[in-house]
Amino acid sequence: MTSRPQNLVVTGAGSGIGQAVCQLAEAAGIKVFGIDRDALGLAETQERTGASIAVCDVTDEAALIRAIDSAVDYFVGPPDALVAAAGVYRIAPAQEISAQAFADLLAINVVGAFVSAREVATRNTEGGSIVLIASMAYEGGDTNEPAAHYTASKGAIVSLTRQLAVEWADRGIRVNAVSPGVIHTPMLRLVDDPVKAAAYLESGVPLRRFGAASEVAAACMFLLSESASYITGVILPVDGGATIS
């Protein structure tokens, strides 16, 4: 690997962490191919960064494979890096979550990440780096924002990261994950209640503020880089200290 990846695929590129990764990568001179089901958000990312894009739902395996094939055409070769940031956050008490709703969320957050990683790794013969997006939610339960399906999905991402890191190490492909805390993105629900948000930051986050998508993106870029060349299978918290408070 060089000091930075040359060709990067980003899923969930239309907003939040995925869009922030695209912006940092393009600023660093990396060619970026963005994937998202949100056509408007993806068009905004393209306008801001110049990235090539494909509108695609990551739960549609055939469409996702075609999108990554388009990335290969755009790069004139295989991507050497992936940030799989496509994901959703839904809140519901466990007894109100249907089997279909549970499966639908896992299809986006876990299966979509897996297929993205598999397809990038399949095309890559010279090593590379993959970053998945976990969450501090996998560390424990939460009665204020119950989300059994989301929490399970992020626990699965942690296990998937470690398994893929072991399987693909002999091919020179590193697989890591970042584990964001309360990050100010469109998915954040805590800001719906300013009083509750202030109380949480005061008691639950040592740095006493929300994180920014750009800060999570910076952690992703570190894990993609040569500076992290001896790091694989790691879950890197980006949470203002929340998981140690």
Side-chain angles (χ1 to χ4, degrees):
M1 289 180 61
T2 59
S3 60
R4 58 175 171 77
Q6 302 298 305
N7 302 317
L8 171 64
V9 172
V10 180
T11 69
S15 66
I17 293 167
Q19 187 175 75
V21 169
C22 292
Q23 291 176 305
L24 286 184
E26 286 284 347
I30 300 167
K31 291 184 72 175
V32 177
F33 190 93
I35 296 171
D36 202 297
R37 67 183 181 182
D38 177 2
L40 291 177
L42 201 55
E44 180 182 283
T45 297
Q46 185 177 47
E47 183 177 351
R48 290 184 180 184
T49 68
S52 184
I53 59 173
V55 177
C56 171
D57 188 328
V58 296
T59 66
D60 184 335
E61 182 177 17
L64 184 52
I65 291 171
R66 289 195 297 271
I68 294 176
D69 282 338
S70 296
V72 172
D73 292 342
Y74 172 63
F75 296 142
V76 194
D80 57 0
L82 165 72
V83 174
V88 295
Y89 178 50
R90 294 171 182 157
I91 300 170
Q95 68 272 20
E96 296 178 9
I97 301 172
S98 68
Q100 189 61 58
F102 199 103
D104 288 346
L105 190 143
L106 264 65
I108 298 169
N109 289 8
V110 183
V111 181
F114 167 70
V115 174
S116 302
R118 184 195 69 196
E119 293 304 308
V120 168
T122 296
R123 292 161 174 75
N124 195 315
T125 60
E126 298 182 0
S129 182
I130 291 170
V131 176
L132 307 183
I133 307 297
S135 166
M136 73 174 191
Y138 90 92
E139 301 265 5
D142 185 348
T143 57
N144 291 317
E145 292 187 4
H149 42 1
Y150 178 79
T151 301
S153 77
K154 294 308 180 178
I157 287 293
V158 170
S159 295
L160 179 63
T161 297
R162 292 168 176 161
Q163 180 63 33
L164 297 182
V166 170
E167 284 198 38
W168 295 342
D170 62 353
R171 298 175 52 202
I173 297 174
R174 297 183 299 104
V175 185
N176 293 289
V178 296
S179 182
V182 283
I183 307 300
H184 210 299
T185 72
M187 284 174 58
L188 183 62
R189 294 286 299 276
L190 188 59
V191 293
D192 295 346
D193 185 335
V195 174
K196 184 183 291 186
Y200 174 77
L201 292 174
E202 180 65 26
S203 64
V205 182
L207 291 184
R208 291 184 171 81
R209 64 173 177 85
F210 292 124
S214 60
E215 292 174 303
V216 183
C220 293
M221 296 305 296
F222 163 69
L223 289 172
L224 293 177
S225 75
E226 184 68 14
S227 296
S229 60
Y230 201 53
I231 299 174
T232 196
V234 161
I235 314 303
L236 176 61
V238 186
D239 63 5
T243 53
I244 59 169
S245 65

